Amino acid sequence: MSFSSGVKQELCKQSIARRCCAQAEAYGVLLFCNTFHSRGLRIITESPWLKERLPVLFRKAFRVSFDEIPDADEGKGTFLIEDGEKLKCIFDSFGLEQNAPLHVNFAHLEEEHCRTAFLRGAFLAGGSVTDPLKSYHLELATSHYHVGREVPALMVDMGFAPKTTVRKGNYITYFKQSEHIEDLLTAIGAPISAMDMMTSKLERNLRGSVNRRVNCDAANLDKLVAAAQSQIEAIHVLEEQGALVSQPAKLQEAARLRLENPELTLGELAALCDPPVTKSAFNHRLRKLVELSKSEK
């Protein structure tokens, strides 16, 4: 099951107690579903939870039943209303004109609980959200121009900051920031999904941190190996030229320790000196050996 399907499953578990909220949620469904006009209503969904919820929601909101409902066990199914009296009842419930462009009637969304119910319905019918382990993106898509402008304004009034775009004739309201998506999911009734998103974000950030650390450690190891190889080659040049035996005891000790311990770091080699020296001092001795080898070539 996708993350988006999981969100819709959680939303469908919300109780339908108040008739005003049932109407508000149904309003969101209607304005973001596949088809809603004076000639008919068509809602296509493959969500088994939404299939169970819609008949209950519409009976509570409008006291009407669908003319056609899908079988519970089929995949993608269609809810249909073409009966003129039922459609008139639905349009009249929101003060909508049957042959006019659809709008959001804000008079029906004055209460906060009705607003969140409306957005819940909009998401159930026309919403999607990506898997947070991959990316952060939540969107609502409607084919109605005015709705595509008025819903973002409603969200701004509720404290959200959506963005908008147009794609293939649909008007898209969307969020890209994980914190905004989490807040919206919590508000419309999916707090568990919001928490799952937070957890996924932590896992994603941790994985990125680990990868960066591994890459950094690998790069540092490559530098260490290259430097050690350069130092060993320099010491061999000095040995071949007979120049190493004439160097001060400190440099001879540094050369011996490096040859005997090619895998050790500068700090570890410095600790092996007699007496121990600082990492900086030991590094200075090795640099001196490298410089001397260049003059012997």
Side-chain angles (χ1 to χ4, degrees):
M1 180 172 63
S2 69
F3 183 77
S4 191
S5 296
V7 172
K8 293 186 178 182
Q9 179 183 15
E10 185 179 0
L11 292 177
C12 286
K13 292 179 181 178
Q14 291 290 314
S15 63
I16 308 173
R18 298 171 170 164
R19 191 181 182 207
C20 63
C21 289
Q23 287 185 332
E25 183 176 326
Y27 198 11
V29 170
L30 292 167
L31 296 181
F32 283 82
C33 70
N34 303 85
T35 304
F36 178 47
H37 48 58
S38 59
R39 299 181 302 280
L41 159 65
R42 178 178 286 102
I43 305 170
I44 301 174
T45 181
E46 59 183 16
S47 168
W49 311 283
L50 187 55
K51 289 177 184 177
E52 292 181 7
R53 187 175 184 84
L54 283 175
V56 178
L57 181 67
F58 272 62
R59 281 197 301 270
K60 180 79 171 182
F62 313 116
R63 297 188 173 90
V64 301
S65 59
F66 287 96
D67 297 339
E68 178 182 314
I69 62 173
D71 294 333
D73 57 352
E74 70 177 290
K76 186 177 291 187
T78 301
F79 289 85
L80 183 67
I81 293 180
E82 293 181 328
D83 181 274
E85 288 301 315
K86 294 179 182 179
L87 291 169
K88 184 177 185 304
C89 174
I90 293 172
F91 272 81
D92 289 348
S93 295
F94 302 113
L96 301 174
E97 297 181 22
Q98 289 188 286
N99 295 312
L102 291 175
H103 284 266
V104 177
N105 188 338
F106 291 101
H108 291 267
L109 303 175
E110 292 183 350
E111 300 295 333
E112 190 71 19
H113 51 78
C114 290
R115 291 182 171 192
T116 55
F118 173 80
L119 293 179
R120 178 166 59 247
F123 184 86
L124 287 171
S128 63
V129 58
T130 58
D131 185 340
L133 285 175
K134 299 177 181 177
S135 63
Y136 305 123
H137 183 88
L138 181 149
E139 70 177 39
L140 304 173
T142 179
S143 60
H144 306 294
Y145 171 76
H146 296 291
V147 176
R149 294 171 63 89
E150 292 159 351
V151 168
L154 173 66
M155 287 183 164
V156 169
D157 193 51
M158 294 172 66
F160 299 107
K163 296 182 179 181
T164 60
T165 189
V166 180
R167 186 194 312 131
K168 296 181 179 179
N170 286 320
Y171 302 94
I172 312 297
T173 303
Y174 69 96
F175 296 87
K176 283 287 189 183
Q177 292 184 307
S178 60
E179 294 83 0
H180 295 173
I181 297 173
E182 292 159 8
D183 290 343
L184 180 62
L185 291 180
T186 300
I188 65 177
I192 296 175
S193 296
M195 186 62 69
D196 289 342
M197 172 168 276
M198 295 178 196
T199 302
S200 297
K201 181 168 62 176
L202 290 174
E203 292 176 359
R204 187 178 176 186
N205 291 341
L206 178 60
R207 187 181 298 114
S209 177
V210 170
N211 288 338
R212 286 191 295 271
R213 178 62 182 271
V214 169
N215 291 338
C216 181
D217 289 347
N220 289 337
L221 180 60
D222 288 342
K223 291 179 181 178
L224 175 63
V225 171
Q229 185 61 36
S230 174
Q231 294 156 4
I232 291 170
E233 290 177 357
I235 294 167
H236 285 318
V237 168
L238 292 174
E239 286 182 329
E240 291 171 1
Q241 299 299 325
L244 186 59
V245 293
S246 63
Q247 300 304 318
K250 295 185 297 183
L251 295 186
Q252 292 189 46
E253 181 186 42
R256 177 180 59 79
L257 290 175
R258 170 47 86 198
L259 291 177
E260 291 176 353
N261 305 280
E263 77 286 355
L264 296 187
T265 64
L266 292 176
E268 292 168 332
L269 290 171
L272 294 177
C273 290
D274 186 18
V277 298
T278 64
K279 174 183 174 181
S280 177
F282 194 84
N283 186 41
H284 176 74
R285 295 176 186 181
L286 290 177
R287 284 206 309 268
K288 182 65 175 178
L289 290 170
V290 172
E291 292 172 1
L292 289 171
S293 71
K294 293 177 180 178
S295 64
E296 295 292 333
K297 290 183 178 179

